[in-house]
Amino acid sequence: MPLTTEDRVAVTELIHLHGHLFDGGELDRLDELFTADVVYDVSDYGGGALVGIAAVREAALTLGDRNPVAHHVTNVVITELPDGAVRVRSKGFGVNTDGTCGSLTYDDRVTRGTDGWRISHRTLLARRIPLNGVGREPGPSA
């Protein structure tokens, strides 16, 4: 069944809710974001894959002051998948306590259940190289 406008709005709001809950320390509400068996893959940051809401919550608590003070999400792109789930790619940046920022791409699988749309798999991909490393080959000197 094709996604409705209401589905797209609900999925986009789900993606935006992530920053509000984490930044507000509302870790007891993570079931509003994730399926119970979520896979939260932070391998690109050296943390491996966290499985389940409790593991995601514990990782956030363990990071403590190293968590960003602000999560911001932009450029949300939703693609329907044949099984009724959706793939959501978005850009994010976090502001750290020292004022530095970091950028990443969220690559999510979002599924619809009895409680609505939830993220069932999230991969965080660090953005460290402009243009993802694509560049022109040096030409001959003129």
Side-chain angles (χ1 to χ4, degrees), residues 4 13 15 26 29 37 39 48 52 63 68 70 85-86 91 106 119 130:
T4 65
E13 287 186 359
I15 299 303
E26 298 180 65
R29 294 179 55 197
D37 60 348
V39 175
L63 274 177
V86 295
K91 297 292 187 176
Y106 292 111
I119 300 167

Side-chain angles (χ1 to χ4, degrees), residues 17 47 85 103 105 128 141:
L17 182 61
S103 181
T105 299
R128 297 184 179 107
S141 304

Side-chain angles (χ1 to χ4, degrees), residues 64-142:
D65 290 345
R66 292 177 294 148
N67 281 289
V69 295
H71 293 78
H72 300 279
V73 177
T74 66
N75 306 66
V76 177
V77 178
I78 301 168
T79 306
E80 296 177 61
L81 298 174
D83 64 358
V86 295
R87 178 182 185 201
V88 182
R89 295 187 71 223
S90 57
K91 297 292 187 176
F93 65 95
V95 180
N96 299 312
T97 57
D98 64 0
T100 60
C101 295
S103 181
L104 61 87
T105 299
Y106 292 111
D107 190 357
D108 298 327
R109 177 180 174 81
V110 179
T111 56
R112 183 184 355 225
T114 57
D115 292 329
W117 292 98
R118 298 292 187 269
I119 300 167
S120 61
H121 193 280
R122 168 165 272 191
T123 302
L124 280 61
L125 301 167
R127 304 304 311 158
R128 297 184 179 107
I129 302 170
L131 301 177
N132 204 29
V134 175
R136 280 195 266 188
E137 294 294 320
S141 304

